[in-house]
Amino acid sequence: MHNDPDTNSLPQWDDTQSPFRIPDGYFDTLTARVMHNIPAEPAAQPAAATRSMKPYLRWAAVSLATIGIGVGVWLVAEKGGLNNAQRPAAEQAAAQMPAGDNLEQMADYMMLDQEDFYAYLSAE
């Protein structure tokens, strides 16, 4: 590796010489310059920042409300929902009807074909 033509053109390093130079009188005035940059009075430290508890209380309230609503929904679902006395009469009648009797009529009533759709659009 010492015989490579690229490395022969480089200057050889002399361990006795340092490429870095210190300006004359640098260390003579160093202490005075450092002391000049230090302030005479220490800077007043800012007061310790106090954290407000409001964000934590807000998150705690939201968490408790969410848990309360979840427990309430779970309890209502566990009991089977509202009892029959609390349901409206029409809902009770619909719940007691067999599912297949009027299913055909309801499906026909709810369906729209293209003509009906265009008729609704043109009416507006």
Side-chain angles (χ1 to χ4, degrees), residues 65-90:
T66 304
I67 290 170
I69 290 171
V71 168
V73 168
W74 179 73
L75 288 175
V76 168
E78 191 71 24
K79 289 182 180 180
L82 301 174
N83 59 19
N84 287 338
Q86 293 173 331
R87 288 187 181 178

Side-chain angles (χ1 to χ4, degrees), residues 6-53:
D6 293 334
T7 57
N8 289 337
S9 63
L10 295 174
Q12 297 299 319
W13 179 259
D14 185 11
D15 291 337
T16 61
Q17 293 180 341
S18 174
F20 304 105
R21 301 270 180 224
I22 301 170
D24 292 335
Y26 178 78
F27 287 109
D28 296 338
T29 60
L30 179 63
T31 306
R33 284 184 284 139
V34 169
M35 294 304 288
H36 177 69
N37 289 333
I38 296 174
E41 296 178 12
Q45 293 184 356
T50 58
R51 290 188 177 182
S52 174
M53 290 300 290

Side-chain angles (χ1 to χ4, degrees), residues 96-106:
Q96 292 173 355
M97 285 179 29
D101 284 352
N102 295 327
L103 187 60
E104 207 52 49
Q105 291 175 354
M106 288 189 291

